[in-house]
Amino acid sequence: MSEKKKNVLLQGGILAGAGIITKIIGFAYRIPMGNMMGEEGNGLYSVAFGIYGIALTISSYSLPLAVSKMISARVAKAEYQNMRRVLVSALVYGLIAGMIAMNVLFFGAGVMETLYHKPGIYRPLRVLAPTTFIVALLGVFRGYFQGHGDMVPTSVSQILEQVVNALISVFATWQFMNMYGTSKEAPSYSAAGGTLGTLAGAATALLFIMYLFGTTRKRYMNKINPGERLESSASIYQGLFLTIIPVILSQTIYQIGYTIDDLMFGNLMALKGYKDQVVTSLQGVYNTQYNQLVNLPVAIATAMAASTLPSIVLSRMQNDAHGVNQKITQVIKVNMVIAFPSAIGLAVLAEPIMKMLFPRLVTYQPQAIMLLMTGSSAVVFYALSTLTTSILQGHNFMRLPVIHSAISLGVHIVLLGILLVATDLNVYALVICNVLFPLVVSMLNCRAITKEVGYRWEYWNTFIKPLLASAAMGIVAFVVYRVFYEAFENVYIVSLMAFGAAITVYAVVILQIRCFSEDELRSIPGGRYLAKLMR
């Protein structure tokens, strides 16, 4: 393997590892914070974050990718002055876009409170407002280092950001609940406390990465190429916008789906006579107790897959069609081996999971359990849709995932409106549409991969075998929990027994039915030991 390929895979692995760590930290701190906030506080927090996500996507989400792509192209051609001009232009763009987003969130918070039927949401929105400005600058510096092939600054800053976020969010929520817990504004203050950690984390990460920029500035910024031809500012900004806009369109469709759900649910439920507090509490249950649990295995699976995607791109550039097909099969299979047992495990053990993780959120606990049981299949479809989107983009089919997401979002919105108006499903309508959206995207993406990439799907090894192993695991976990709960009546002890039995059964079955070949196992971290077990 060439040094260049090794470096690409190493840097991809570093970034993927950081992604897994940050997702686990993000999931972990939301549990104590969610228990302190209560259902209504969680509702305000999640809706505010949906609005913040839209502002972030439009203003700065695509900056790391755009900056890294443009800087790496200039560095490869030894155009060091143009590289510096790209950095300055990106900083100017980040300053302007971040400032606009900050002002819209801060001064428009009152309007959004009325629009979303969420009294008190202006507090968390105004805390999040300066975060958009900070994240815009942070994205430029992360893209700068990535453009030089160095993922360590981004990875370390992401972990540092999430650690500070977790500590400040939990502490601020606890402090605000102590101060305002008995007032009617307690949910609003608790949500503001939670978002304070997001602001502190982003600010810490920006200071850290600016320090690294200062210490490495001479290494990257003092190089000179006398024969270099300078690009005009107009051409640099044109390249920046042409890179940013497709990513914005793609990610905005994903992000806008969440906030449209919040907007439609709040207004249509209000028209049917539901009180704002009840609607906000149901949204808190959906976004915190359901969505958080569904998103964790998806995030881990796709982060693991991210370390393999650079090698797919390299194989494609080397015209190695067989290598591309092998790596696509492997990365999808790894995702499915994680996603299927996660989905079935969440469904069959929904009750003990809710009782253990959210013991203080009991008002809507039956609804939370039922949401997880009925909507856990979204894990599989989100993992597959995210991965197939990356595969298409890696083959330079940038528009197709955007078109597929737009089609799916249209179906999603129409069905959600019908279910909310014509039925009494209320929050369950959100779950149904949450499963439908990635399902439609996955179907369209898979069809495009077959047609445009020429990939031949291995359905038996990739999908059927993980599903069968997961089904066996689910039956054992369900039986163990039900039988031993009658004897011990301790949810923690019995859940530990059920989880242990589930992991053991799944590992044995997945190896016994030869889901992976020995060569595939050896390419996975810890796979050599698993290959010995399989033999």
Side-chain angles (χ1 to χ4, degrees):
M1 186 182 292
S2 68
E3 289 300 318
K4 180 180 179 182
K5 187 171 181 180
K6 285 181 179 178
N7 185 60
V8 169
L9 294 178
L10 174 63
Q11 295 296 331
I14 290 171
L15 202 57
I20 292 173
I21 293 170
T22 55
K23 293 299 181 183
I24 292 173
I25 295 172
F27 174 78
Y29 85 81
R30 284 294 302 273
I31 294 170
M33 191 178 79
N35 279 291
M36 286 187 284
M37 282 183 177
E39 288 91 352
E40 191 176 350
N42 281 314
L44 290 176
Y45 177 87
S46 60
V47 174
F49 245 88
I51 299 169
Y52 164 74
I54 291 292
L56 208 61
T57 299
I58 294 174
S59 63
S60 60
Y61 181 87
S62 54
L63 274 175
L65 174 63
V67 174
S68 67
K69 186 175 180 180
M70 294 185 69
I71 283 185
S72 63
R74 273 72 182 173
V75 170
K77 295 184 289 187
E79 295 180 355
Y80 302 113
Q81 290 188 70
N82 287 330
M83 179 269 291
R84 291 188 283 272
R85 290 166 71 88
V86 167
L87 176 62
V88 172
S89 299
L91 284 171
V92 172
Y93 173 86
L95 284 168
I96 295 172
M99 188 68 70
I100 292 172
M102 180 177 71
N103 281 283
V104 169
L105 278 188
F106 190 87
F107 295 106
V111 175
M112 293 176 192
E113 182 177 78
T114 303
L115 188 64
Y116 281 80
H117 282 273
K118 293 289 174 287
I121 201 174
Y122 73 92
R123 287 191 180 93
L125 282 177
R126 285 179 176 168
V127 174
L128 288 169
T131 314
T132 56
F133 178 74
I134 293 170
V135 171
L137 300 181
L138 180 60
V140 174
F141 285 109
R142 283 175 172 167
Y144 167 80
F145 282 106
Q146 290 173 24
H148 286 89
D150 189 358
M151 305 299 174
V152 174
T154 294
S155 302
V156 175
S157 69
Q158 284 177 341
I159 295 171
L160 181 63
E161 177 183 5
Q162 196 70 300
V163 169
V164 173
N165 184 1
L167 294 174
I168 299 298
S169 293
V170 173
F171 175 76
T173 302
W174 173 76
Q175 189 67 31
F176 282 13
M177 288 302 290
N178 283 341
M179 295 169 61
Y180 304 103
T182 57
S183 74
K184 292 182 179 180
E185 299 295 326
S188 176
Y189 279 108
S190 69
T195 54
L196 193 62
T198 308
L199 172 60
T204 304
L206 178 60
L207 291 174
F208 170 76
I209 210 162
M210 287 179 67
Y211 168 77
L212 287 184
F213 175 76
T215 57
T216 60
R217 188 173 181 275
K218 291 181 180 179
R219 188 197 315 170
Y220 294 128
M221 300 294 284
N222 289 351
K223 294 181 178 180
I224 297 174
N225 180 1
E228 179 182 348
R229 295 182 61 183
L230 294 183
E231 297 179 66
S232 66
S233 297
S235 66
I236 290 175
Y237 279 113
Q238 182 182 14
L240 196 63
F241 285 121
L242 288 176
T243 309
I244 285 172
I245 289 172
V247 179
I248 288 177
L249 291 174
S250 176
Q251 292 300 320
T252 299
I253 291 171
Y254 273 98
Q255 287 292 334
I256 204 170
Y258 291 111
T259 197
I260 285 177
D261 284 355
D262 291 332
L263 187 62
M264 290 178 65
F265 188 76
N267 283 277
L268 293 177
M269 293 290 281
L271 286 175
K272 297 180 78 170
Y274 285 83
K275 293 182 179 179
D276 287 342
Q277 291 81 0
V278 173
V279 175
T280 303
S281 296
L282 287 172
Q283 285 175 297
V285 171
Y286 171 76
N287 287 313
T288 301
Q289 292 164 264
Y290 166 73
N291 254 340
Q292 283 294 305
L293 290 166
V294 166
N295 287 336
L296 179 63
V298 175
I300 293 174
T302 51
M304 289 181 66
S307 63
T308 310
L309 288 175
S311 69
I312 294 176
V313 175
L314 278 176
S315 295
R316 186 182 63 83
M317 292 174 67
Q318 295 167 356
N319 296 318
D320 181 8
H322 179 68
V324 169
N325 281 349
Q326 276 190 325
K327 288 164 185 174
I328 289 176
T329 298
Q330 181 178 334
V331 76
I332 294 175
K333 193 183 296 183
V334 169
N335 265 262
M336 294 302 100
V337 165
I338 296 172
F340 273 114
S342 298
I344 291 179
L346 289 174
V348 300
L349 297 176
E351 181 180 327
I353 288 171
M354 289 300 173
K355 287 181 177 178
M356 287 190 301
L357 297 183
F358 303 101
R360 297 179 62 181
L361 303 180
V362 296
T363 307
Y364 294 91
Q365 193 174 81
Q367 287 92 333
I369 293 169
M370 187 57 65
L371 288 177
L372 196 56
M373 291 174 65
T374 56
S376 64
S377 60
V379 171
V380 176
F381 302 129
Y382 270 115
L384 186 59
S385 65
T386 303
L387 183 59
T388 51
T389 293
S390 297
I391 291 170
L392 285 171
Q393 290 173 340
H395 284 79
N396 285 334
F397 295 108
M398 303 296 290
R399 294 174 56 191
L400 285 178
V402 178
I403 295 170
H404 297 165
S405 297
I407 292 170
S408 184
L409 181 62
V411 175
H412 171 100
I413 291 171
V414 171
L415 181 62
L416 180 61
I418 293 171
L419 292 178
L420 288 176
V421 172
T423 73
D424 293 323
L425 287 171
N426 58 64
V427 73
Y428 297 105
L430 291 175
V431 172
I432 292 170
C433 293
N434 185 61
V435 174
L436 177 71
F437 178 78
L439 173 60
V440 174
V441 174
S442 296
M443 292 171 62
L444 294 173
N445 282 355
C446 289
R447 179 177 175 271
I449 289 174
T450 302
K451 182 180 178 182
E452 304 294 344
V453 179
Y455 176 70
R456 297 181 65 182
W457 295 87
E458 295 185 12
Y459 295 103
W460 180 250
N461 286 325
T462 306
F463 299 104
I464 305 301
K465 285 184 177 180
L467 177 59
L468 292 175
S470 301
M473 177 211 74
I475 293 169
V476 171
F478 180 79
V479 170
V480 168
Y481 176 75
R482 289 299 173 189
V483 169
F484 286 96
Y485 190 72
E486 295 294 329
F488 293 99
E489 294 187 355
N490 185 307
V491 70
Y492 296 97
I493 294 175
V494 178
S495 296
L496 188 62
M497 295 169 66
F499 292 149
I503 293 169
T504 303
V505 169
Y506 185 69
V508 169
V509 174
I510 208 74
L511 292 175
Q512 185 67 35
I513 63 178
R514 299 295 196 270
C515 184
F516 290 98
S517 68
E518 287 195 29
D519 289 338
E520 287 174 329
L521 280 178
R522 289 193 187 96
S523 66
I524 300 171
R528 292 185 181 275
Y529 176 70
L530 292 175
K532 291 179 181 179
L533 281 179
M534 186 172 73
R535 285 198 299 271

